[in-house]
Every structure is written in C-alpha cells, then in structure tokens.
Amino acid sequence: MVLKQTYFLITASLILLCGVPCWQRAFAQNPETGAPSGPQGDASQSQADNQQQGPGQARNLQENTVSLSGIRAYTPGPTGEERSFLLPSLQITGVWDSNPYYQPGGSKELYVGTGAWSLDLQRIKRRSQLNLSYAGGEIVSSRPLPSNFGTDLGKYETYQSLQLGYEYNGLRWKSILMDQFSFLPESSFGFSGFNGLPGFGAGLGIPISPNVTPLNNVLAPNQSILTGYSRRISNVSAAEADYSFTPRTSLSMSGSYGILQYISSGFYDTNYYGGSIGLDHLLTRRDQLGLAYDYENINFLGMGEYIETHSVQIAYGRKITGKLSLKLSAGPMLNIINQPGGPSVTSVFASTSDSLLYLLRGGDLHSNYTRSTSPGAGVFFGAETDQVTGGFSHRLSRRYFFSLDGGYAHNKSLSGVGIILNGSTFDTVQGGATLSTSLGERMSFFMSYQLQQQSTNTSVCTAGQCGRSFLRNVASVGINWHGRPIPIH
C-alpha cells in the first residue's frame, strides 16, 4: 500500500509536468492588452520590458522573484553554467560501523560493503527547467543488519532516493512542482550511504548547486531522531504557483503532502498536508521582504490523533546572484493537539526558518536553521523541533577536494501518549568529513568519517542495554566513477 501511494504521487507529478505549462499557455493573458501570453505575446512583452528596464535590470528582477514562503529553497540563482545534460555515476565503498545497535555501552563492530549508482538529469529550455537526481545502492553485510526493535534486517539491503524539480516561468505566472522520495535502512539525518556520489554530496543532502531547484528543507519528513537500522519510506510532493502584480510584488500559493512510514516495527507512521500563502516585495534588486501564513495537519496513522499548526511569519531575503543568498524569518506558531478520548491541547512558540549559502571559488559554505512542529520522527506524537545543519566544501587543489558537514537537532515531545512521556527530549549531533582525490579524468578515491551522538532525558533500552546516550563512529573508503556529461538538445 505504501509503495502504491508513493508511485501514485511520483506519477501524478510527472503528469503535471506537461499539464501546468499547457494550462498556463492556454489561459495566461497579457495584463496590459488582454491578449494571450503565448510565445508571441510573451516575446513582445519581454522585448518591451527590456527596452524600458534594460536587459541586465530585467534579468536581475526575474532572478529575485523566488518566494520567501515557497516550496523552493532560497539560493543565489544562476551562475552562468546552466546546460542540459545527463550524468551517470557508480561507486563501491567499504564501511566500518563502531556501534550498529546504537547501544549506550557500544556494540559489536560491523563491516559492510556497498555499491551505489546515480543518474543526474538537467534539462533547460527558454521558459522551463527540469532537474532529476536518482541514486540507489545495495548493502552487503557479513551478518544481518541489527535492529533495535523487532526482527533484524537482512544481509542484503537496498536503499533508493529520487529528487524531482520542475519550474515554468510565464509572463506573470510562475509554477514549481517538486517531489522528494527515499527508501532507507536508517535515518536520513547523517546518512552516509551516498557519500562520494557527485549529485548528492555528503550523505542524503539536497544538491547545493544554485542551478538546480532544491526543495525547502522544512517540508521534508523530519527524521532527526536516530532509530538505528529500521527500514522507512519517506516522500513529499509539493506544488507552487506565483503571480507577479508588478516586477517587484508577487503573490505565492503552495501546497504539500508528505508521508513517513516504517516497514520495521516499533514506530509511528505519519502523513501530513499543508498549504501556504505569502506576499513578497523586492525592496531592491538584492533585498526582499515577505509575509506568509502557513497551515499544516499532521496525522498519526491508526492512532486517532492529529495536530494542526497555524503560523504567521515575516521574512527577509538578500541575494547576490551567483554568490550569496541569505534568508531570515520569524513568527508565532500555534499548535492544536487533538487527542482521542481527551480534550484538545494548545501551545504557542516562536518559529523560524533561516538559511545561508555562500558560493566560494571551488566550493561553498551553507547552513540552515529551522524551529517548528514536526511529526516526531516515528518516536513522538508530535515534537517541537529545533534543527541546524551546515557544511563547507573546498577544492584544495586540482586533484584534491575536501568537505565538512554537520547538524544538531533538539526534539521535545508535544504529547503524553507516545512511547516517551510528554516533555521528553532527544538531542542528536552528527558530523563528518570527506576527502577525495582524482585518479584520472573519470575516477576518484575518497575517504569519509561520520560521527553520531544522541542523548535523551529518559532511559532508552536497545537490544538488552538501557541508557541515556550513545556514540557511533562510521568510517568508509571508496572509489567513484562518473561518466562524461551527455548533452541533451
């Protein structure tokens, strides 16, 4: 049932890829003349705009119309390297895991071999752009992967990830469709299975390149509580439509639907849906203000409990095309917790969603911070979640490339009917480093180290051991091959 739902969401997104631009071409009109804004109408209006503003001014305004409240991450915009291509990659890795059971006192070491593959597609047209990143892998272990709850996993496990982004720009209308899917044997927070694949960077992070259409990370299913080896499926589909009243002022409307469902026993399955409406105004070519209202409904499948959230946020964005993007936002969030057989419980706290991306010569520096209500990562019936992630990458020389990534998450239970009592907390830290060196034009060798530490204010028992914290070290070495980018015309 879960796989059918996921395939339906992905198929629906692909169908909409054609439907949205066709709908816009048929119904969009020139706001000045009332004529259809098809290819001829758009071209004539664009020419008129360029004559009034100049080519550089018109282009800068168009790049700065990314909504602060939309489904797309706030990035610096094109760097002038956009092209249509197809890029395949392969990877073989050996992994050492110091604490596969996530036990407080440590557990028997585990040695694993993985094989992974990826395919990245970017297709750019005059008014649209399609980005597709797929990666998959196979884990081969000397013994079944240990599970903290229920039956151990097998010696052979598969993991998959798919990210889809499509954007269409009309005269006044802009539409964005996105989908992010994963099937993993453990939490995506610090997951190192995709290390070395060029399209995914360190772990399961969204590609940072400003030439793609990355998803706003606040929409993705939160998995920032580490739960050991436990199969899970996550998916989020989102759509956005923006309308520009003037070159500086626009209205944004978006909606999303997500799931986090565990195939392994012992966790809570959730789905959630929500919508947002926001107003954005460009103060200058680089500075932007926004005001948005967000609604979300979180359901705990089979439990009869759900959470409604309402929030209002004021946002500020600053963008230097191809170099820097900064987003800051803040506002109150109201939670209404509807518990079966009991009264509703309400709470209010300050929420935020902030990001920074600075493109360096041969690398980047990026960070994200969010404070919001989350489904609870399969452990809580809702959580107040603070999460910060960041990274740094730099080309040391022609042959050597180095990257750092890290994150911290604090989850506090909102409901007292979950596995852990109300007010219980999990604090999770993860971080790692990767060093790679080229072995030729198409091959590279990499070494990676990842650390995970998690603590809680209540005792947790895993595989016969109880405690309040654990430490895990994961080291890997591997070889990566990537093909020559295949041009798409």
Side-chain angles (χ1 to χ4, degrees), residues 56-249:
Q57 294 177 353
R59 178 175 173 81
N60 288 338
L61 289 175
Q62 179 65 20
E63 290 170 353
N64 277 312
T65 56
V66 176
S67 174
L68 292 169
S69 61
I71 64 175
R72 178 178 177 177
Y74 200 69
T75 60
T79 61
E81 301 174 352
E82 294 181 332
R83 55 179 176 166
S84 299
F85 68 90
L86 187 67
L87 178 66
S89 301
L90 296 173
Q91 171 193 298
I92 298 176
T93 311
V95 181
W96 168 77
D97 190 337
S98 71
N99 190 4
Y101 272 109
Y102 289 33
Q103 291 181 339
S107 58
K108 187 177 179 181
E109 299 174 346
L110 182 66
Y111 295 90
V112 173
T114 67
W117 49 90
S118 70
L119 187 65
D120 295 312
L121 168 68
Q122 179 173 274
R123 186 172 179 83
I124 299 173
K125 296 185 178 180
R126 186 173 69 93
R127 291 196 173 277
S128 65
Q129 179 169 333
L130 171 67
N131 297 285
L132 179 68
S133 291
Y134 165 78
E138 186 75 19
I139 298 175
V140 181
S141 176
S142 59
R143 68 177 192 271
L145 298 178
S147 175
N148 294 335
F149 301 92
T151 307
D152 287 349
L153 279 65
K155 293 183 179 180
Y156 306 94
E157 290 292 329
T158 299
Y159 53 94
Q160 312 283 334
S161 177
L162 175 67
Q163 296 179 29
L164 171 69
Y166 178 82
E167 182 173 339
Y168 179 84
N169 291 281
L171 178 62
R172 296 247 179 177
W173 285 96
K174 174 188 292 185
S175 61
I176 304 174
L177 294 170
M178 306 190 73
D179 191 272
Q180 183 173 303
F181 165 83
S182 69
F183 172 73
L184 301 177
E186 59 178 294
S187 169
S188 61
F189 192 64
F191 180 62
S192 59
F194 294 120
N195 274 348
L197 291 176
F200 284 81
L204 193 63
I206 296 176
I208 296 300
S209 169
N211 295 328
V212 303
T213 309
L215 180 73
N216 189 336
N217 63 350
V218 75
L219 299 176
N222 186 280
Q223 301 180 52
S224 59
I225 298 178
L226 304 180
T227 53
Y229 286 109
S230 49
R231 302 185 192 97
R232 79 281 308 277
I233 290 175
S234 72
N235 190 85
V236 57
S237 298
E240 177 184 342
D242 299 340
Y243 179 77
S244 297
F245 298 104
T246 71
R248 294 184 177 274
T249 305

Side-chain angles (χ1 to χ4, degrees), residues 275-318:
S276 175
I277 183 168
L279 187 66
D280 292 86
H281 181 71
L282 293 173
L283 301 175
T284 69
R285 297 177 191 172
R286 296 181 177 182
D287 299 286
Q288 184 175 351
L289 279 180
L291 177 66
Y293 163 77
D294 296 277
Y295 169 81
E296 186 176 39
N297 186 294
I298 303 171
N299 293 278
F300 301 91
L301 304 182
M303 300 297 176
E305 179 171 339
Y306 64 95
I307 298 175
E308 293 180 299
T309 69
H310 304 264
S311 68
V312 177
Q313 288 203 344
I314 298 175
Y316 166 77
R318 180 171 176 81

Side-chain angles (χ1 to χ4, degrees), residues 7 11 26 41 59 98 116 132 144 160 210 219 231 236 241 243 250 296 340 354 398 401 451 453 455 472:
Y7 293 149
T11 302
R59 178 175 173 81
S98 71
L132 179 68
Q160 312 283 334
L219 299 176
R231 302 185 192 97
V236 57
Y243 179 77
S250 63
E296 186 176 39
D354 310 313
R398 184 176 179 182
F401 187 81
L451 176 144
Q453 184 177 30
S455 59
R472 181 191 185 201

